[in-house]
Amino acid sequence: MPKAAPTLTPVALLPSLAPLLHEWLPRQRWFAGKGRPVTGFSLASVTELLPGCLHLLVRAEQPGTAPEAGDVYQLLLGVRKVLPPPLAPALVGHATAGPLTGLTVYDALQDPQVAALLLERLRTPGRLGPLRFGCDAGIHVPAGLAPRLLAAEQSNSSLVYGDTFILKVFRRIHFGVNPDLELPLVLARHGCLRVPAPAAWIRTERPESATLAVLQPYLRGSQDGWQLALHALAERRDFTREAHALGRATAEVHTALAAALPVVTLGRAQTELLAAAMHERLEAAAQAVPTLLPHVPGLRAAFDAVTKVTAARPAQRVHGDLHLGQTLRTGADDWAVIDFEGEPARPLNERRRPQPPVRDVAGMLRSFDYAARTQLPWRPEWAESCRDAYCAGYAASAGTDPRDEPELLRAYETDKAVYEVLYEARHRPDWLAVPMAAVRRLAQD
Ligand SMILES: Nc1ncnc2c1ncn2[C@@H]1O[C@H](COP(=O)(O)OP(=O)(O)O)[C@@H](O)[C@H]1O
Ligand SMILES: O=P(O)(O)O[C@H]1O[C@H](CO)[C@@H](O[C@H]2O[C@H](CO)[C@@H](O)[C@H](O)[C@H]2O)[C@H](O)[C@H]1O
């Protein structure tokens, strides 16, 4: 890294980085703007986080969005003369212009040295430029834990330290309060043990306030619900016991959230707004993924049905993107729930709105269907029995059975399936058939 710090300003650095990011950024799984070219970049924030490691917030400009409203991504970029062979997969590119000319730029989260120093920085509260390091004084984070980057391709990047802590580094940054720190902190303070308690976090104040990373205890030896469900299916095993326990765990989280944060009542007008938002999302999804178009009238009927039920409904903070991959089995019938970020494609204020808890239930019901659809022969009865067991487990703990609100449940399932069509079209086109099968079913029911 050149020593002359004044050259590391956003304006000066851009000629070094923009050509490299053009190639590298759109190829990352967590890049949310797939399907639209990137026409330019700006650097919303630059901080020398560690020697040889820049912390950047990069705004990607894409057609259809004003340049100042483009998506913002968090990057930790290492700069070295030569990249040692083990770091070859982390290569972003070789700078040929600007202050980094002649240097190699790489994804520093893949560098164990940087990852180790990052944990060290997280162990004490403080600030560095716009960055704010916070921690829970009641949770001891030991020094020197060995880091490893999780191989799973996710919406964000996660580092596991010594199999005792996991640091989630958000990739697409949303300005405002991030529920993935907000809700686990609230739940921990209210004694809910279903969610790993945040031990430390990084926030920024520039260009606006945002949560950048969260460190939590790593649930060693746990297995995620998605993998467990796939194994059960592959071995033609029943999964209803697990589904029942998952229903209970979901209800416990909902009960704790309702006790800790405001619960509101949705009257007729709010229910109509809720349905209108579902219609809007469907319209946008059908424009982006035209295979949805023939099913639009049938799907709309599911949303309209909600407005015909006049009963007032309680709404509260929910998980917002609950699926099997967000659950970890920690013991025989013990489940933890993770990743309270909500659906990454939606604005934060929308994700943080109180919503009927059935929304999370619908997400999980979709997940049983997903799991069953990934294997041949397709076993609809496997998904059906899990869905029933999950609702029964939920009812046993919450005291209210989600199946007693069939219109709302169906509308949320439909809304989720539409979201999934868009998600798969953008991120995993080979999976598109999975939510499309649900779309066909839900449009005809
Ligand atoms: N506290 C934890 N203990 C053990 N594994 C975890 C924990 N938190 C996350 N993971 C693992 O990391 C993966 C990614 O975490 P997640 O919060 O879902 O990130 P993303 O938003 O990128 O999907 C999860 O699927 C899970 O396997
Ligand atoms: O885990 P994330 O917060 O990144 O959630 C996103 O990606 C999920 C896929 O990894 C996606 O979930 C969909 O696929 C799952 C199987 O991989 C399935 O269990 C879910 O039911 C299905 O929705 C999720 O929608 C998306 O937001």
Side-chain angles (χ1 to χ4, degrees):
M1 174 90 58
K3 267 275 160 265
T7 60
L8 300 181
T9 62
V11 171
L13 271 174
L14 199 58
S16 288
L17 296 178
L20 315 187
L21 295 179
H22 247 289
E23 291 296 315
W24 182 80
L25 194 70
R27 283 191 279 117
Q28 305 312 302
R29 158 82 193 267
W30 39 262
F31 178 72
K34 295 202 170 70
R36 288 182 297 150
V38 177
T39 50
F41 291 101
S42 61
L43 301 181
S45 167
V46 175
T47 311
E48 193 171 353
L49 180 61
L50 302 163
C53 174
L54 293 172
H55 178 277
L56 303 174
L57 294 183
V58 176
R59 198 181 287 280
E61 294 164 10
Q62 295 191 275
T65 312
E68 64 283 6
D71 293 340
V72 173
Y73 297 93
Q74 173 171 220
L75 307 182
L76 272 74
L77 294 184
V79 181
R80 293 189 187 221
K81 279 194 181 133
V82 180
L83 207 54
L87 284 178
L91 178 72
V92 173
H94 304 283
T96 54
L100 305 183
T101 299
L103 296 171
T104 302
V105 177
Y106 68 101
D107 177 16
L109 286 180
Q110 297 184 46
D111 183 342
Q113 271 177 3
V114 170
L117 288 168
L118 188 57
L119 181 72
E120 208 35 49
R121 188 63 198 77
L122 273 158
R123 292 178 65 241
T124 26
R127 45 174 64 190
L128 176 67
L131 307 182
R132 305 282 178 268
F133 296 83
C135 56
D136 182 326
I139 304 179
H140 173 65
V141 180
L145 298 172
R148 73 181 157 91
L149 188 65
L150 271 195
E153 288 263 312
Q154 305 281 345
S155 302
N156 300 291
S157 298
S158 293
L159 282 159
V160 174
Y161 288 97
D163 272 357
T164 41
F165 285 92
I166 179 165
L167 178 68
K168 177 167 174 174
V169 180
F170 296 105
R171 287 305 199 163
R172 184 171 166 205
I173 297 304
H174 299 268
F175 297 109
V177 177
N178 186 331
D180 210 7
L181 175 59
E182 179 199 18
L183 295 185
L185 272 180
V186 163
L187 288 165
R189 284 168 191 163
H190 277 76
C192 175
L193 300 175
R194 293 282 175 198
V195 177
W201 46 87
I202 311 175
R203 288 186 170 129
T204 187
E205 293 303 328
R206 200 167 60 214
E208 291 168 52
S209 73
T211 303
L212 300 175
V214 181
L215 184 77
Q216 291 180 340
Y218 182 68
L219 304 175
R220 190 186 351 203
S222 63
Q223 287 173 290
D224 83 72
W226 174 250
Q227 290 304 331
L228 287 167
L230 294 190
H231 287 147
L233 272 159
E235 292 164 8
R236 307 191 74 74
R237 244 191 312 110
D238 175 72
F239 198 65
T240 53
R241 178 178 159 170
E242 289 86 343
H244 193 275
L246 273 169
R248 289 194 82 100
T250 307
E252 279 176 35
V253 170
H254 282 167
T255 304
L257 285 173
L261 294 165
V263 177
V264 300
T265 302
L266 301 185
R268 198 185 170 90
Q270 287 100 334
T271 304
E272 274 169 10
L273 283 177
L274 200 133
M278 290 176 175
H279 281 294
E280 250 176 58
R281 288 194 286 267
L282 171 60
E283 206 162 293
Q287 270 179 21
V289 190
T291 36
L292 267 177
L293 282 169
H295 308 290
V296 166
L299 299 175
R300 285 197 185 285
F303 303 150
D304 290 335
V306 175
T307 59
K308 297 191 178 107
V309 181
T310 51
R313 302 186 169 94
Q316 60 164 90
R317 296 297 299 279
V318 297
H319 179 283
D321 189 19
L322 194 60
H323 58 80
L324 283 162
Q326 317 283 39
T327 63
L328 295 172
R329 191 171 72 180
T330 52
D333 281 331
D334 249 351
W335 289 86
V337 179
I338 56 167
D339 196 359
F340 282 74
E341 200 184 1
E343 286 173 1
R346 294 194 185 173
L348 275 189
N349 59 356
E350 192 184 314
R351 294 190 232 161
R352 294 183 64 231
R353 242 175 243 155
Q355 300 171 63
V358 159
R359 163 143 190 225
D360 281 346
V361 172
M364 192 61 93
L365 298 187
R366 287 285 316 116
S367 216
F368 293 121
D369 185 55
Y370 245 79
R373 285 268 175 194
T374 57
Q375 312 222 343
L376 289 173
W378 175 44
R379 293 179 56 206
E381 76 292 348
W382 183 94
E384 235 7 89
S385 61
C386 288
R387 289 158 61 98
D388 270 338
Y390 178 76
C391 289
Y394 188 96
S397 170
T400 53
D401 192 324
R403 291 166 294 188
D404 291 342
E405 293 193 274
E407 293 84 7
L408 197 60
L409 197 52
R410 181 167 165 226
Y412 271 120
E413 259 205 84
T414 306
D415 189 43
K416 183 74 188 183
V418 168
Y419 165 85
E420 288 166 345
V421 165
L422 198 56
Y423 178 87
E424 301 300 1
R426 281 187 185 152
H427 296 271
R428 303 185 294 195
D430 293 354
W431 287 58
L432 190 54
V434 175
M436 278 307 296
V439 159
R440 277 192 291 276
R441 169 174 64 80
L442 289 158
Q444 277 164 15
D445 268 358

